[in-house]
Amino acid sequence: MLLSSSPSTSSLHIRRKSFDDGNFHSSSSEPMLAASPSRRGRLSSFDEAAHLVNAHPSHARSMANLAPMPEQEMFEEKKSEESFHDDTWDKTRIWEWYNNLPWLAGMNYLPRTAVNFVEMWDESSFDPDVIAQELGWASEKLGYNTLRTNIPMCLYEHDAEGLTKRINKFLRIAARNGFVVMLCPLDDCEFSGEQAQPGPQPEPIPGLHNSRAIGSPGRRIVLDPSHWYRVEEYVRYMVRTWGQDRRILLWDLYNEPGNPWIFRTTGTELCENTEQFEKNALLLMEKVFHWAREENPSQPLTTSAWHMPDPFFEGDVVVPLAHAIDQRAMELSDVISIHAYCDPTCLQTTLMEISHFGKPMLLTEWMARQV
């Protein structure tokens, strides 16, 4: 079931323009593998569907095979916070980009044949026929023109060449159906509590939301900076390969950095070393922006600000987007993107409170669970 809601147009900046003008379609040569490491259908169709809302601020690799690199060799000298911030697109550039977009109606996409993003992208289970069918439905019957989807790092490390070919095929299918794509290479929503692995995935646990959700690169790697050079290689490859591809709308570099939750049939619990995990996620997020910007993509960058009240968690008293991760994500992003599972009043108030950044805004996850 695909869920969507159209917010009131009175508080939103709306324009309409067709993507079907050739500008966002595949060029004659696909992005090809530049460098790579050593080689070797189920229950979740559109179940995190979202409506991407554009709001003008005036309106509201295998781990066992790799020895850790010495930490002093891992990174260049860290940039200062000021230079990180200065690397964002200036206001003239980002608003020109934004104002040339049509009205974006989008969804978070996982096909019905996949229990998680490994199953979506793995060679053994990638299903272009189902993808083409579902994107056709979404475009023709419901008017969607944008989608957001995650790429697991473990598949890049397992078979970068094969993953590259599958991403290119996906982008061709999406373009034929009038979609531009937000690619998300990193994700901390490891709700299953399990490290991602290539190959066949376990069956979903009946009645448990996101029961097999996996992270990218995974919480163990986030907690171990001696392996962050692997993340750097992956992020740079992704942005270098598709950074000039007109079928990519923008890069959502890191989905919900620092999300510590695990979902069990008995309830929710926090991952181990939660406090350190959040600190590391913040530092890793800053580095990811730096690595991506050094590859000079033509598309803007974002990372979701996500700490919002959620009626799914009883007694939730989170102050909207006040977490250090959220504030830094909004500073570093060219376009602000937020996730909101709160009521409309809370969302409207939050949009007004963050309008001081003066950047376009995208609401990339939303669901009125209380309704």
Side-chain angles (χ1 to χ4, degrees), residues 18-19 21-26 101 175 179-180 245-247 249:
S18 173
F19 282 122
D21 57 8
N23 291 335
F24 291 89
H25 287 245
S26 172
L101 294 176
F179 281 87
V180 285
D245 194 317
R246 292 176 179 267
R247 300 167 299 181
L249 177 67

Side-chain angles (χ1 to χ4, degrees), residues 250-320:
L250 72 158
W251 293 91
D252 190 349
L253 293 172
Y254 198 161
N255 181 54
E256 300 196 357
N259 191 316
W261 292 103
I262 299 173
F263 298 164
R264 308 291 191 198
T265 54
T266 54
T268 57
E269 60 186 61
L270 293 170
C271 67
E272 295 182 358
N273 301 319
T274 298
E275 184 176 352
Q276 188 63 51
F277 173 65
E278 290 185 329
K279 291 178 180 178
N280 283 22
L282 173 55
L283 178 57
L284 179 58
M285 178 185 72
E286 292 182 329
K287 292 181 180 296
V288 167
F289 271 99
H290 174 52
W291 300 331
R293 294 215 185 272
E294 284 203 331
E295 298 301 328
N296 196 28
S298 62
Q299 312 95 340
L301 308 179
T302 191
T303 280
S304 53
W306 65 276
H307 293 81
M308 293 280 286
D310 187 342
F312 184 73
F313 294 97
E314 187 174 350
D316 196 342
V317 292
V318 172
V319 177

Side-chain angles (χ1 to χ4, degrees), residues 15 17 89-102 300 360:
R15 293 161 315 284
K17 175 184 174 184
W89 287 19
D90 62 44
K91 298 297 173 58
T92 299
R93 183 184 182 189
I94 193 57
W95 281 107
E96 180 179 0
W97 172 88
Y98 176 82
N99 288 326
N100 282 312
L101 294 176

Side-chain angles (χ1 to χ4, degrees), residues 95-125:
W95 281 107
E96 180 179 0
W97 172 88
Y98 176 82
N99 288 326
N100 282 312
L101 294 176
W103 175 247
L104 301 179
M107 61 192 178
N108 291 283
Y109 182 67
L110 184 70
R112 65 182 184 268
T113 52
V115 72
N116 57 31
F117 288 105
V118 170
E119 193 161 42
M120 175 180 177
W121 293 105
D122 191 83
E123 181 181 17
S124 65
S125 45

Side-chain angles (χ1 to χ4, degrees), residues 350-361:
T350 302
L351 290 174
M352 294 301 297
E353 289 177 349
I354 65 176
S355 66
H356 67 88
F357 285 100
K359 302 176 181 181
M361 301 179 190

